[in-house]
Amino acid sequence: MEFAELASLISGLIAAALTLMIYSLLYRENILYRIAEHTFVGLYAGYGVAFAVKNILDQGVSRISAGNYWFIIPIILGIMLFTRFTVKQAWISRYSMAVMVGVGTGVSVRALIEAQIVRQIKASVISLTTGPYTPIDNLIIVLGFISSFLYFFFTDISVIRKPMGYIAKAGRYVLMFTFGGAFGGTVLSRMTLFTGRMQYLLSYPAYYMIPVFIVILCIMIYMDVKKKSK
Amino acid sequence: MSWLRRRELPLFLTAILGIMAFADYFFDIPVLHSAVSDLQVWIIILSAFAMFMGVINLTIVHGRVVMREKDVVRRALSAWTLFLMYLMAILGLLPPITGHPSYRWLYTTTIAALDPTVYSILAFFITSASYRAFRARNLETTIFLVAGIIVILYNAPIGGYIHPGIVTLGAWAMGVPITAGQRAIMVGAAIGALALAIRTFSGRESAWLKAGGGG
Amino acid sequence: MVERVLGLKLEVEVENMVKEIDPRYMYLLLFIVVGAPLLRPLGLPLPITAPVKALYDKIESLPPGSVVLFEYGVGAASWPEHGPSNIAVLKHLLSKNVKIILISLYTAEGPTNFATRIKPAIAHLLEKKTYGVDYVDFGYVTGYETAMAAIAENIHKALPRDVYGTPIEQIPLMKNVKTAKDLALVIATGYCEPYIRQFYTPYGVPVAIMTWGMNAPGYMPYIAAGQLVGMVAGIRAAAEYEVLIASPGEACASSDALSLSHLFVVILIVIGNLQYWLGGRRVR
């Protein structure tokens, strides 16, 4: 067997083993799951370091070496960020955070008014007869939006006077329908992830680990039954 | 120099920079435009530094466990976590940075398997919750379940096979009532985000200022 | 369990008379329900939904020489949902005479997954293209939405080098691509809101999204408002796209398993509710 083939085989077996170690949680909490969990945490934390260094070199150091000396400031601010972990010098990191929070908030919020408020309201205030859907559907969209929106502003239905209370209650029903749809989407997402893992486990060379873990599971069940009978 | 420790200065800096970035969208002022453009690149660099925070935090937390904890299993697991973290970091820094074959091999062998598996566990909990918890107790929960069933069958290719009406009903549900409700949620959330931004710019939102110590 | 009935402060204790099944049996059933069709596919038909068709039509209508920004931020956790859609849409783009700017903004895992999983699947199409002329890769750029804003405003300033370290001025494709206005389409992975805020709203660049299935209901308002030109949400939509480009792959292979798992969940909901309503509710 060539080295590349061997590396691929070992990689597949380790990946399958780690997958099944995580799934062993479905039976009960056990040491195999904890090992896999800690493996994940450690590797994932270390993964981003290289990309962080690459970005600092490409975006910061390369600009400084090209003569844009202003870019020393974000590098100094970045180093100041690490003082967050100290007790006495933690105040220094506030300035780095201030830059990130200020610019980040300004950039994300400036187009939000048009994108997520104005255009959405505009798309909801449609003609019942010439709107994008059938007249009844256009009516449902307009009334559904208004009633749901009103529900957020007058949440405690019991203290609202009658006409508004009925509209807010209707809004609550529309929102429940929406959450039901969101639940349906969540089922799709999670089942997709599981289907992807099953596809992997049923492929070469991962399927070699399945009998191994069936044996381990049987041992765990036997030990639990024995413990219970004592 | 004790005035540098005051909370007001970083809050003022946040407000100034935030308003500059915000105003740049609405006003065509070349100086402002150039400054905000540079600031955006600064954030790219700062965000890269922020990626080290997880490593430092984990080192502090797990380092404490390794040094002080009496339980051998916990110490071993923490040591294993730290070892893997630094191994991955070092492999990633081997040239070409982020492109070394061993770095990619370790990623595809471990993270590519563990990450989706951890999230896919929720599929099982959703399955058991579907049987045990989702009850049509009143009109609201019934509406929730009916909508959920419609969308679940719409999303599954088998839905159209069971009855073509499921596809039509599902498309209608997604396009009309769910769109209306989602829009309301979206506008409400956007107004909330705007309020948070105003609070941040006015210095009333200062939770991010809290710092000090690891873990 | 205690319920409020009809708004009255009447406390009603409801007790389910039927013994509940150990959830581990359901987990085992789920393994079987998903595993069986993967071993023996059923070949169920797959209707094409409107948002997927809309993206397909948009790409089909792109004039030759158009520049498309393709964001391939696929993480390991989201590979089952985003991976097949990334591959299918890229196959479609590479079959057209368009220029592609590749970048990862959502996750640092993007470049690794691109190199190890996406590139091998599209290698036969990439061979016919020239790097730097037909496509360019900028790798992962930190900063997410702020990086997007910087890129949209001045691409040359925000991205000084490509993933191989080549200065952007030396890349022929990027010669006439300076701001978002020079882009014909942005196809992103993950969440659509930042792209709508930074590309569509200020510059009018059409945006399409490849996202998780659970986001599909939430993004319908953007499609209805015309802020998204198309959407591939989840593996089912990815399977539809594979059918449209006549290149069945990972997504199509899993659609039967997806069908049965969804049906299983619906059956459990129905059984659970039947047991609740018919199994005996005792009012004290």
Side-chain angles (χ1 to χ4, degrees):
Chain A
M1 194 182 268
E2 285 184 18
F3 179 74
E5 267 181 51
L6 183 64
S8 180
L9 174 66
I10 293 170
S11 173
L13 290 173
I14 294 173
L18 287 169
T19 302
L20 289 165
M21 282 161 76
I22 292 285
Y23 282 143
S24 68
L25 177 70
L26 295 168
Y27 176 64
R28 62 167 168 80
E29 170 91 28
N30 59 82
I31 189 67
L32 292 176
Y33 170 74
R34 290 180 68 191
I35 292 170
E37 189 186 42
H38 279 76
T39 303
F40 176 48
V41 168
L43 287 167
Y44 201 85
Y47 175 81
V49 167
F51 284 94
V53 168
K54 191 166 165 44
N55 267 271
I56 292 168
L57 292 173
D58 287 345
Q59 297 280 356
V61 174
S62 65
R63 287 177 209 268
I64 295 169
S65 51
N68 296 322
Y69 298 114
W70 278 116
F71 287 94
I72 291 173
I73 299 173
I75 293 189
I76 294 170
L77 283 171
I79 295 167
M80 280 162 61
L81 204 53
F82 299 141
T83 59
R84 200 164 178 82
F85 294 104
T86 62
V87 177
K88 285 185 181 167
Q89 284 80 37
W91 60 271
I92 298 172
S93 69
R94 287 180 188 159
Y95 290 93
S96 312
M97 290 296 296
V99 174
M100 288 178 78
V101 169
V103 178
T105 306
V107 160
S108 60
V109 152
R110 63 192 189 183
L112 181 140
I113 299 166
E114 187 178 347
Q116 285 168 252
I117 300 175
V118 171
R119 291 213 188 200
Q120 290 303 323
I121 292 173
K122 200 173 164 184
S124 301
V125 181
I126 48 178
S127 163
L128 298 182
T129 50
T130 60
Y133 307 100
T134 64
I136 293 176
D137 288 346
N138 291 332
L139 184 68
I140 292 171
I141 286 196
V142 173
L143 293 180
F145 172 73
I146 293 170
S147 58
S148 309
F149 194 59
L150 279 173
Y151 175 74
F152 284 123
F153 283 84
F154 303 101
T155 305
D156 190 358
I157 294 170
S158 61
V159 301
I160 304 165
R161 290 201 183 158
K162 279 204 173 152
M164 195 66 90
Y166 289 133
I167 296 170
K169 192 148 187 146
R172 194 172 156 126
Y173 294 142
V174 173
L175 285 169
M176 290 309 290
F177 197 93
T178 305
F179 295 141
F183 166 66
T186 305
V187 169
L188 174 64
S189 282
R190 300 303 166 194
M191 288 302 174
T192 300
L193 288 174
F194 178 56
T195 305
R197 296 321 298 152
M198 280 301 286
Q199 266 182 313
Y200 178 75
L201 286 173
L202 292 173
S203 64
Y204 173 85
Y207 50 58
Y208 289 120
M209 293 307 293
I210 296 175
V212 173
F213 271 80
I214 289 174
V215 168
I216 293 172
L217 182 64
C218 291
I219 294 170
M220 280 167 67
I221 294 170
Y222 172 73
M223 284 168 65
D224 286 346
V225 167
K226 205 174 172 186
K227 206 173 175 180
K228 215 172 174 181
S229 61
K230 277 183 185 172
Chain B
M1 292 292 271
S2 63
W3 52 271
L4 280 172
R5 291 174 181 253
R6 293 174 66 116
R7 289 161 51 96
E8 287 80 9
L9 273 174
L11 289 172
F12 184 68
L13 185 63
T14 303
I16 292 287
L17 295 175
I19 292 167
M20 276 172 65
F22 190 86
D24 180 50
Y25 185 73
F26 299 100
F27 301 102
D28 193 12
I29 305 169
V31 170
L32 177 66
H33 196 67
S34 174
V36 172
S37 180
D38 276 350
L39 280 170
Q40 285 168 355
V41 179
W42 284 21
I43 298 303
I44 293 175
I45 299 168
L46 266 172
S47 303
F49 277 96
M51 288 177 79
F52 290 107
M53 305 293 268
V55 173
I56 297 171
N57 197 40
L58 274 178
T59 304
I60 293 169
V61 168
H62 286 282
R64 277 191 196 140
V65 172
V66 170
M67 302 293 274
R68 298 176 195 171
E69 183 65 43
K70 285 180 183 153
D71 181 6
V72 172
V73 172
R74 281 198 68 192
R75 287 175 79 180
L77 286 172
S78 289
W80 176 241
T81 304
L82 288 174
F83 166 70
L84 288 174
M85 186 170 73
Y86 284 106
L87 175 68
M88 195 66 162
I90 291 166
L91 288 177
L93 291 170
L94 294 175
I97 295 179
T98 75
H100 197 271
S102 60
Y103 177 71
R104 289 192 172 158
W105 183 90
L106 194 57
Y107 174 86
T108 49
T109 302
T110 55
I111 296 176
L114 287 164
D115 209 350
T117 308
V118 165
Y119 284 99
S120 72
I121 291 252
L122 281 166
F124 295 91
F125 300 144
I126 283 177
T127 306
S128 72
S130 300
Y131 172 71
R132 297 163 76 166
F134 291 125
R135 299 283 188 259
R137 288 178 226 276
N138 49 38
L139 180 60
E140 285 160 11
T141 50
T142 307
I143 292 171
F144 175 88
L145 280 176
V146 165
I149 289 171
I150 290 171
V151 173
I152 288 170
L153 289 174
Y154 170 70
N155 283 334
I158 204 171
Y161 187 74
I162 293 170
H163 193 287
I166 289 173
V167 178
T168 313
L169 182 63
W172 173 84
M174 294 280 278
V176 182
I178 290 175
T179 297
Q182 284 287 355
R183 222 170 240 159
I185 294 168
M186 197 184 289
V187 173
I191 292 172
L194 200 57
L196 182 63
I198 293 169
R199 283 175 58 85
T200 304
F201 293 159
S202 62
R204 284 181 168 78
E205 192 62 45
S206 58
W208 56 270
L209 280 176
K210 287 188 186 119
Chain C
M1 276 175 285
V2 173
E3 283 185 0
R4 280 186 185 274
V5 178
L6 299 171
L8 299 171
K9 290 180 184 173
L10 193 78
E11 292 187 356
V12 175
E13 200 177 308
V14 176
E15 193 182 328
N16 196 321
M17 299 289 286
V18 178
K19 190 183 165 207
E20 289 188 349
I21 303 171
D22 187 335
R24 289 177 290 192
Y25 290 116
M26 280 184 266
Y27 301 158
L28 183 60
L29 272 172
L30 187 62
F31 270 105
I32 296 166
V33 161
V34 171
L38 287 174
L39 292 169
R40 204 185 160 89
L42 302 168
L44 294 167
L46 186 66
I48 309 293
T49 52
V52 175
K53 186 73 170 54
L55 175 57
Y56 177 84
D57 291 340
K58 179 65 188 172
I59 293 176
E60 281 288 300
S61 68
L62 286 173
S66 298
V67 180
V68 176
L69 181 82
F70 188 91
E71 198 274 333
Y72 59 75
V74 186
S78 52
W79 175 263
E81 295 217 69
H82 296 161
S85 54
N86 267 248
I87 291 171
V89 174
L90 263 176
K91 277 184 178 174
H92 192 197
L93 285 170
L94 288 167
S95 69
K96 314 292 294 178
N97 185 7
V98 298
K99 314 284 182 188
I100 309 170
I101 299 172
L102 298 163
I103 193 167
S104 178
L105 292 164
Y106 178 63
T107 172
E109 296 176 67
T112 310
N113 280 307
F114 183 79
T116 56
R117 300 166 97 163
I118 297 176
K119 224 170 177 181
I122 57 171
H124 59 291
L125 293 167
L126 277 178
E127 276 167 16
K128 298 173 191 169
K129 304 283 182 181
T130 310
Y131 184 86
V133 175
D134 299 308
Y135 70 100
V136 64
D137 185 359
F138 286 99
Y140 171 64
V141 180
T142 53
Y144 199 44
E145 191 164 356
T146 313
M148 275 179 229
I151 291 165
E153 199 175 294
N154 188 337
I155 299 177
H156 285 240
K157 187 173 184 178
L159 306 173
R161 291 164 192 283
D162 75 350
V163 73
Y164 302 108
T166 310
I168 194 169
E169 300 80 31
Q170 295 174 18
I171 301 170
L173 189 160
M174 301 305 296
K175 200 174 162 194
N176 296 319
V177 181
K178 302 276 163 63
T179 73
K181 287 181 186 161
D182 300 318
L183 301 172
L185 179 62
V186 170
I187 304 175
T189 307
Y191 298 103
C192 72
E193 290 92 342
Y195 298 93
I196 290 175
R197 286 195 292 260
Q198 304 304 334
F199 286 98
Y200 176 76
T201 306
Y203 303 100
V205 182
V207 173
I209 191 73
M210 296 172 291
T211 187
W212 297 267
M214 61 188 174
N215 285 351
Y219 289 170
M220 292 306 294
Y222 292 117
I223 295 197
Q227 291 166 297
L228 275 180
V229 297
M231 176 172 70
V232 182
I235 200 164
R236 184 241 152 87
E240 292 172 32
Y241 211 92
E242 287 176 357
V243 167
L244 283 171
I245 62 167
S247 177
E250 227 175 279
C252 280
S254 63
S255 65
D256 288 341
L258 209 65
S259 284
L260 291 189
S261 63
H262 279 56
L263 201 57
F264 184 55
V265 169
V266 171
I267 290 168
L268 283 176
I269 291 173
V270 170
I271 291 174
N273 277 279
L274 281 173
Q275 280 189 329
Y276 176 70
W277 286 101
L278 302 176
R281 292 172 71 218
R282 200 166 61 205
V283 177
R284 289 184 197 161

